[in-house]
Amino acid sequence: MSRALLVGVDQYGDARDLSGCAADAGALEPLLARHEDGTPNFECRTVRGTVLREALLTDLDALLGPGADFALFYFAGHGREAHGDVVLGTTDGTGATSGVAFREVLERIGASAVKEVVVILDCCFAGGAGTMALLDSGAAVLRSGVSILAASRGDQVSWESRGRGRFSVFLEAALDGGAADVLGHVTVASVYAFLSESFGAWDQRPTFKANIERLHPLRHCRSAVDVKTLRLLVQWFPTPDHVLPLDPSYEPDALPRDPVHEAVFAQLQACRASKLVEPVGHQHLYFAAMESLGCRLTALGQHYWHLSDRGYL
């Protein structure tokens, strides 16, 4: 079972009010609540606008309580540097206690039985999360199964633009398929790769910290190549470096027609579009067939060949 707590704090009761955090949380909810095919994903609880410190801690306790094996915490709002940590600002924050220090979040995560926890922070100084010295050696330690995706470094602010957080707009695009692999899996690592490329050297820089053994998808999107096609790679290519001979019978425009070859060629075209297969002797797969040349697996195609060969698909 998967849970997600999405928090967007706009109201701070003074000139520090924000305008896009509630919208950011609301935009992410449908993407996390359902996979692209409409099947259920995270069971979401969304809190927007006015958020009080004690209420946020209560919601965190519920998120990390028994009954779930995957939990996601998203926060958009003010963040404040505090002795190597970052404090997540709440509406009732004061100078002495401006919200929830991230060490309080980490303490709850450390005590939780939830196996995998993903934290996504869209606030100023978000990169300070998880960097507090937790040992005498000064090393920072994340419990196994925990990953933190932050909108900026620990010494940077995070920006809003046109009523939305810039980070969260790109995060939304990543979850909507921009960070999906060939099979349609979107993971926290692929989301970070997408976000990292979305910001330049002069921009806020997203950060990623993790202590994980495997990547569980945050969301499933439509696969670029059907898994049944990927399993056929080992049949078409007996070895990863095999060159599959082609001829005009693979191309539907050629006569005489060969329905079996045409069906294979249609699947090879899908693999070509996803950079799994490349023609040999010509730039285009069509002419490789018409000129009786061939095709081979790319490095990415060989990766999926190995997955299929080992029974991982």
Side-chain angles (χ1 to χ4, degrees):
M1 183 177 292
S2 302
R3 298 187 189 123
L5 174 62
L6 312 176
V7 179
V9 190
D10 280 335
Q11 276 74 53
Y12 287 91
D14 52 30
R16 297 171 61 246
D17 279 357
L18 298 171
S19 61
C21 298
D24 291 337
L28 294 177
E29 180 178 355
L31 291 170
L32 291 169
R34 297 277 173 177
H35 298 293
E36 188 173 347
D37 64 1
T39 56
N41 189 13
F42 288 93
E43 188 169 336
C44 296
R45 177 178 294 178
T46 304
V47 184
R48 297 187 285 174
T50 298
V51 178
L52 305 181
R53 170 182 156 80
E54 291 304 319
L56 177 54
L57 290 173
T58 298
D59 285 336
L60 281 168
D61 287 337
L63 172 72
L64 298 168
D69 50 20
F70 195 175
L72 183 147
F73 172 48
Y74 167 83
F75 176 86
H78 277 304
R80 181 175 67 84
E81 264 186 307
H83 308 294
D85 196 6
V86 60
V87 177
L88 312 181
T90 56
T91 303
D92 57 345
T94 65
T97 307
S98 58
V100 174
F102 193 73
R103 61 174 174 76
E104 297 179 84
V105 180
L106 276 183
E107 288 168 358
R108 284 165 166 77
I109 292 174
S112 172
V114 177
K115 293 181 180 179
E116 182 166 358
V117 180
V118 173
V119 178
I120 304 176
L121 302 178
D122 187 5
C123 60
C124 295
F125 314 115
T131 60
M132 242 184 107
L134 300 181
L135 296 176
D136 292 338
S137 64
V141 176
L142 291 180
R143 193 208 76 185
S144 177
V146 177
S147 53
I148 302 172
L149 181 58
S152 59
R153 296 197 316 258
D155 59 352
Q156 287 183 313
V157 297
S158 300
W159 295 98
E160 288 187 335
S161 177
R162 300 180 182 179
R164 292 287 308 277
R166 293 183 62 201
F167 171 86
S168 290
V169 169
F170 289 125
L171 173 60
E172 183 181 350
L175 291 171
D176 202 21
D181 65 9
V182 171
L183 288 169
H185 299 158
V186 178
T187 68
V188 65
S190 68
V191 168
Y192 171 69
F194 182 94
L195 290 167
S196 181
E197 293 176 352
S198 300
F199 291 90
W202 296 86
D203 295 324
Q204 65 189 75
R205 292 300 309 165
T207 66
F208 179 51
K209 303 160 191 176
N211 181 7
I212 50 179
E213 296 179 357
R214 57 177 300 182
L215 288 166
H216 296 277
L218 296 178
R219 190 169 190 255
H220 295 290
C221 297
R222 184 179 66 254
S223 60
V225 178
D226 189 273
V227 68
K228 294 180 181 178
T229 297
L230 295 176
R231 290 172 183 153
L232 291 171
L233 291 178
V234 293
Q235 295 184 27
W236 301 331
F237 302 90
T239 62
D241 57 354
H242 177 76
V243 174
L244 174 65
L246 298 174
D247 59 59
S249 68
Y250 283 86
E251 175 50 50
D253 294 336
L255 295 175
R257 302 288 298 274
D258 188 326
V260 173
H261 279 188
E262 290 174 13
V264 170
F265 197 66
Q267 294 173 91
L268 290 173
Q269 291 279 27
C271 292
R272 164 67 168 165
S274 296
K275 301 180 180 180
L276 304 181
V277 168
E278 61 185 6
V280 174
H282 205 285
Q283 184 178 358
H284 300 287
L285 201 59
Y286 168 84
F287 290 108
M290 295 303 291
E291 296 176 18
S292 297
L293 299 172
C295 65
R296 63 189 170 205
L297 295 170
T298 63
L300 183 61
Q302 290 184 13
H303 168 69
Y304 283 96
W305 185 97
H306 285 293
L307 293 182
S308 177
D309 186 55
R310 295 170 185 173
Y312 295 161
L313 296 177

